[in-house]
Amino acid sequence: MTGNALDGVMSFPVTAFQPDGTLNLAAYRVHVEDQVAAGPAAIFVACGTGEFFSLDVEEYGQVVRAAVEAANGRRPVFAGVGYGTTLAIRLARLAEEAGVQGLLILPPYLVHAPQEGLVAHYRAVAAATDLPVIVYQRDNVRLTPQAAAELVAVPNVVGLKDGLGDLDLLQRISGAIRDARRADPSIADPVLLNGLPTAEMTALAYWGIGVRSYSSAVFCFAPDIALAFNKALRAGDLTLVEAYLDGFFRPLVELRARGAGYAVSLVKAGVRLAGFEVGPVRRPLTDPRPEHVRQLRDIIAAGRVIG
């Protein structure tokens, strides 16, 4: 698989739990099957929205295997891996054994490392697997253009996901990658992904510097709205794009800002509103306040009459 195969909207399913906090793999499979049927470019499991931080190693393996089984080859499945190098490699091998088609390497846990350390970390994880991998920069990982160009030269690094929102930096990274590919034509053209929360809000800005693909938390609970927005974006229908931004995505972002952890817990509430028994979020996250869930229901309803 090349990075160019990941063209469009990416789904990041939530992980289903029982009311007591244990895994609910049956409900999870139903949720993933619904996501696959809706038609994203790819499914990314056990990542941020999937509460990767809360899964132990055994649970991680169960979640990834269940997702691969539910997808059944209909869409590529990428799994998140992270923490320190040793544990990330262990998770990468578990995911490869489970049959995923690729990996998203999440930022290392908490540490602020120098560029050479970050490059060495991502190289080591990529070298531990034959799978295509995508490097994720956000929070404590801010790659220089040179470091990003070094990483995309690794044969199985097929992309870079950006969760920083620094478009000047991303444009310079794009230029450095072009320079590297001109110097070495064997380097594949990597995909650049907009990985900001509610990425649709910045899709126009990213589109302007050539970033066409993005992760969509909205896809988890309203794939029809996510796909309608993407269709309008790709068609250049700015009037409809702005209608979705003003009538759905901006109210959603403003609601998300009203609670800590809502980038995950509000999404999971939306999945429950869609009829999927995915259960609560795990500690230290908490579920949204009831009035915020009611507001979310109203925002979704408003979004469905825009198109």
Side-chain angles (χ1 to χ4, degrees):
M1 178 188 297
T2 64
N4 288 332
L6 299 174
D7 181 24
V9 184
M10 311 296 153
S11 164
F12 283 67
V14 303
T15 300
F17 300 120
Q18 303 281 2
D20 65 0
T22 57
L23 286 179
N24 186 342
L25 293 176
Y28 179 65
R29 288 187 181 93
V30 171
H31 173 48
V32 171
E33 286 170 358
D34 176 76
Q35 292 286 282
V36 169
I43 299 283
F44 286 71
V45 301
C47 296
T49 309
E51 298 180 72
F52 168 81
F53 75 93
S54 76
L55 301 173
D56 67 28
V57 172
E58 182 180 355
E59 290 174 326
Y60 174 86
Q62 292 176 319
V63 166
V64 173
R65 284 193 299 273
V68 170
E69 291 166 3
N72 195 27
R74 292 172 292 166
R75 286 290 185 274
V77 177
F78 279 66
V81 299
Y83 299 114
T85 306
T86 301
L87 184 51
I89 287 173
R90 182 179 178 189
L91 297 176
R93 289 172 174 161
L94 282 175
E96 187 166 18
E97 290 169 6
V100 301
Q101 283 74 51
L103 303 172
L104 175 65
I105 309 179
L106 305 169
Y109 177 71
L110 285 183
V111 296
H112 291 269
Q115 293 294 303
E116 59 267 28
L118 291 173
V119 170
H121 168 73
Y122 287 118
R123 280 182 177 274
V125 179
T129 176
D130 293 326
L131 292 171
V133 302
I134 295 172
V135 171
Y136 193 2
Q137 70 163 4
R138 63 173 292 172
D139 299 328
N140 58 320
V141 173
R142 176 181 287 267
L143 297 171
T144 63
Q146 179 182 357
E150 287 180 38
L151 285 172
V152 300
V154 175
N156 60 329
V157 173
V158 300
L160 172 68
K161 183 181 180 186
D162 178 65
L164 296 174
D166 185 337
L167 296 186
D168 174 85
L169 173 61
L170 194 57
Q171 184 70 277
R172 288 186 288 117
I173 285 174
S174 297
I177 290 172
R178 288 193 296 272
D179 287 344
R181 295 186 68 235
R182 281 191 285 265
D184 183 357
S186 70
I187 297 175
D189 188 13
V191 66
L192 298 179
L193 296 171
N194 174 359
L196 289 176
T198 316
E200 286 89 351
M201 285 296 292
T202 54
L204 281 171
Y206 274 81
W207 196 274
I209 63 169
V211 179
R212 302 289 192 258
S213 300
Y214 55 87
S215 56
S216 176
V218 168
F219 201 100
C220 283
F221 59 86
D224 52 331
I225 297 175
L227 290 172
F229 173 83
N230 186 258
K231 181 179 179 181
L233 180 68
R234 288 175 174 271
D237 188 343
L238 188 59
T239 299
L240 186 53
V241 166
E242 290 179 344
Y244 275 111
L245 291 174
D246 294 339
F248 174 77
F249 289 103
R250 182 156 54 91
L252 177 65
V253 168
E254 290 169 351
L255 178 60
R256 187 192 69 205
R258 297 185 66 183
Y262 273 19
V264 175
S265 62
L266 196 67
V267 172
K268 202 163 199 180
V271 177
R272 291 194 298 269
L273 286 174
F276 297 92
E277 300 296 329
V278 293
V281 290
R282 276 183 168 173
R283 295 185 297 270
L285 297 177
T286 59
D287 289 320
R289 293 164 55 180
E291 61 268 31
H292 292 164
V293 176
R294 290 192 291 270
Q295 291 173 39
L296 176 61
R297 180 187 289 112
D298 293 342
I299 290 169
I300 295 170
R304 289 205 160 111
V305 300
I306 290 173

